Amino acid sequence: MTEIELKAHVDDRKTLTEVLDKIASYQGCLVRDDCYWGMKGKKQKKLRIRRESGWPNDARSTEPRVIVTYKHKELRTDSNGCCIEVNDEKESSISSAVPLELFLRDSGFEVLQKKHKEVMEWTMLLDDGDGSGKISVNLELCNVPPLGDFLEIEILADDPDENQISIYQSKLEYILDMTGIPRDRIERRYYNDMLREAREMNQNGGN
């Protein structure tokens, strides 16, 4: 599965929520706690173990869902300067993270980064661009401490070609314009890079 995503800073959470309620269908709230496992000092891909709770449209569910994800990640910038992520994503739900975490720790892996995200989720349908059907778009208003609020706009596709990715990027930018968020608020960095920079700044006393 390929994840095509645009991420932008949110300056006015209340106004954006009102806009999203008008243009998309509200799904519910989620809390996601991510641990990124890898080997310190080695440039290699990380494995993400996510615990997700607060199911959309189902207040009865309290048990967290555990999702293991491995990604090949890529940042792309178009001729207008808009930046998106194009990620080849492999993931699976598991009943418990404990055996995997024990194996990773015993194999020399450790948690290199943690991320907490509180999410309000919407979905919408758009024409797919070639007249053959509709595509589903996820819109997530996320609070990521200590970084603040972000809007993530995401399309998932099975093995899209370059033309499809270009079409989907245009769709993401179109939806961003619908929300009223200026394109100069698009974030070009990954969350983990931003969290690392914030941590280093805090350790250096904000200098």
Side-chain angles (χ1 to χ4, degrees):
M1 184 67 69
T2 300
E3 172 189 67
I4 303 111
E5 177 184 298
L6 180 153
K7 175 170 80 250
H9 291 266
V10 173
D11 299 314
D12 188 338
R13 184 182 183 93
K14 181 177 183 295
T15 297
L16 177 61
T17 299
E18 293 171 352
V19 171
L20 293 175
D21 281 337
K22 292 178 181 178
I23 66 174
S25 177
Y26 180 64
Q27 299 300 306
C29 297
L30 296 167
V31 176
R32 294 173 179 149
D33 285 293
D34 297 341
C35 289
Y36 293 84
W37 290 78
M39 290 186 176
K40 187 173 291 187
K42 293 187 177 181
K43 291 186 177 180
Q44 64 177 42
K45 295 290 185 179
K46 301 178 184 67
L47 186 72
R48 185 183 74 194
I49 299 178
R50 165 173 289 174
R51 289 170 171 85
E52 181 179 85
S53 59
W55 298 91
N57 296 328
D58 189 357
R60 298 168 300 172
S61 296
T62 57
E63 289 297 319
R65 181 185 180 200
V66 181
I67 306 167
V68 179
T69 304
Y70 180 70
K71 292 184 181 183
H72 290 133
K73 305 174 75 171
E74 179 185 357
L75 288 173
R76 297 190 183 187
T77 303
D78 67 10
S79 58
N80 297 318
C82 290
C83 183
I84 64 167
E85 294 183 28
V86 180
N87 302 321
D88 180 15
E89 182 177 83
K90 311 298 183 187
E91 68 179 26
S92 178
S93 296
I94 59 176
S95 59
S96 171
V98 174
L100 178 58
E101 290 171 335
L102 287 173
F103 169 78
L104 291 171
R105 188 172 289 112
D106 288 347
S107 300
F109 290 78
E110 60 184 295
V111 177
L112 302 179
Q113 181 70 61
K114 292 183 178 181
K115 181 177 68 188
H116 177 79
K117 184 187 289 187
E118 297 173 0
V119 181
M120 298 175 67
E121 186 175 42
W122 289 259
T123 60
M124 65 188 305
L125 293 176
L126 290 178
D127 292 332
D128 61 5
D130 60 13
S132 62
K134 299 284 187 179
I135 54 174
S136 178
V137 183
N138 296 323
L139 301 96
E140 296 183 344
L141 174 53
C142 306
N143 180 260
V144 184
L147 304 177
D149 293 327
F150 297 84
L151 176 65
E152 298 179 18
I153 311 172
E154 175 191 83
I155 296 172
L156 296 176
D158 289 318
D159 299 320
D161 58 27
E162 289 301 318
N163 181 61
Q164 288 174 306
I165 292 174
S166 178
I167 290 172
Y168 294 156
Q169 178 164 3
S170 296
K171 298 290 186 184
L172 298 180
E173 294 169 3
Y174 168 72
I175 296 171
L176 183 69
D177 292 341
M178 290 176 66
T179 69
I181 297 176
R183 294 193 182 188
D184 63 9
R185 298 300 285 153
I186 294 174
E187 177 54 58
R188 298 171 180 270
R189 295 167 294 174
Y190 296 116
Y191 282 126
N192 280 348
D193 293 333
M194 298 168 67
L195 288 167
R196 185 180 65 254
E197 291 170 10
R199 183 173 65 250
E200 290 172 353
M201 181 175 294
N202 183 62
Q203 291 172 346
N204 294 329
N207 297 322

